[in-house]
Amino acid sequence: MADSPTPSKMILLFGGTGLIGRYILASLVSANPPFEKIAIFTSPDTAENKSADIAKLKEKGVQVVIGHVNSEEDVKKAFEGYDTVISALGRNVILLQNSLLTLAESSPTIHTFYPSEYGTDIEYAPSSAHEKPHQLKLQVRKHIKENIRKLNVTYLVTGPYSDLFIQELDGDMAAAGSFDVKANKATLVGDGEGKVSFTTMHDVGQLLVASLRTPFPHSSSSSSSPSSPSSSSSPRILKVNSFTTTPTAILSEFEKQTGTKWDVSYTPLDELKKAEKEAWEAKNPMATRWTLRRIWAEGGTLYEERDNGKIGEPETESLESQVRKAVEKGTSGFQSGAL
């Protein structure tokens, strides 16, 4: 196992202009005490297409490294002067992390690496190995296990995001569970009492910063249960969240804050599984979302304890505040699309 490194001071973020990367970057920038240096690695196309956003980041002191993530030369050059790499790469490019990890392993400066693990636990139980949405992330973990010896790696497992920018849930997809603020209408999976552990996108960034501030453990041990908190080994696994709740409790909070009784329908779990199967058979791009919703409904985000306390128990957002934001925005859903 890698030795405990010096604290993370100079951070290089991949995917910093993406969905969750923006929240991670915001927390890095606002961290107190501040980090010595923060940079994002971005492609020439992104730098051009998001030039206004890039300019704002530079105004905040964020350095911008432009290059191609699949170029060994560009990545090696980017690593110079940094000690910590954080990846927020999306599902479609997850496997690029293997080359990033290999290059970081040989870097004279990089000692810490956070792969893009935010979301549903891909090793929650033995059945996780067979879940289709997990396969690419599992390949990254396999690469780390077999090839990474020097780096201190942390998997920050957050469960589904509770406040992802909401998309309209049209057609059959609404049956997977949604909260329509405009229509005061909800669809709950099962009996609505299944517990799900959520992390807000803001809290993903806050929890990651808290993790960076927490010294990497020296000792190692193994966890006997897939549903227990992570061990002290390297890679370090931190299973964190903002709050645990049920669809029924979410509905109750929406009704309380809107002052209106909502129209509620229910989707039996067997029907959700049937729709999931049909989506994969039809090569529907929404198939991943069906599978993740089914995993959550089956309790695949729950632990006897969470690891927030291992990183100082940072303050997290509440269900009440999340619903308030959804009501204020007039969004059409709460859980939709959280990957």
Side-chain angles (χ1 to χ4, degrees), residues 220-225 228-233:
S220 64
S221 61
S222 59
S223 176
S224 60
S225 170
S228 64
S230 59
S231 71
S232 298
S233 62

Side-chain angles (χ1 to χ4, degrees), residues 179 187-195 245-251 266-267:
F179 296 83
T187 302
L188 311 184
V189 175
D191 60 3
E193 298 298 334
K195 291 183 177 181
T245 189
T246 66
T248 297
I250 295 171
L251 171 63
Y266 295 85
T267 300

Side-chain angles (χ1 to χ4, degrees), residues 91 119-122 131-134 137 160 173 176 196 272 276 280 286-301 335 337-339:
R91 285 183 178 272
T120 302
D121 188 354
I122 61 172
E131 299 289 4
K132 293 180 181 179
H134 296 349
K137 287 186 177 181
M173 192 65 227
V196 184
L272 188 148
E276 173 195 5
W280 283 107
M286 303 298 285
T288 290
R289 189 173 297 182
W290 282 106
T291 297
L292 293 173
R293 295 299 189 85
R294 187 258 302 160
I295 291 172
W296 307 341
E298 292 177 331
T301 70
Q335 302 177 66
L339 302 185

Side-chain angles (χ1 to χ4, degrees), residues 184-207:
N184 293 333
K185 182 178 180 180
T187 302
L188 311 184
V189 175
D191 60 3
E193 298 298 334
K195 291 183 177 181
V196 184
S197 292
F198 292 101
T199 303
T200 74
M201 297 180 80
H202 169 269
D203 284 347
V204 170
Q206 296 296 98
L207 290 161

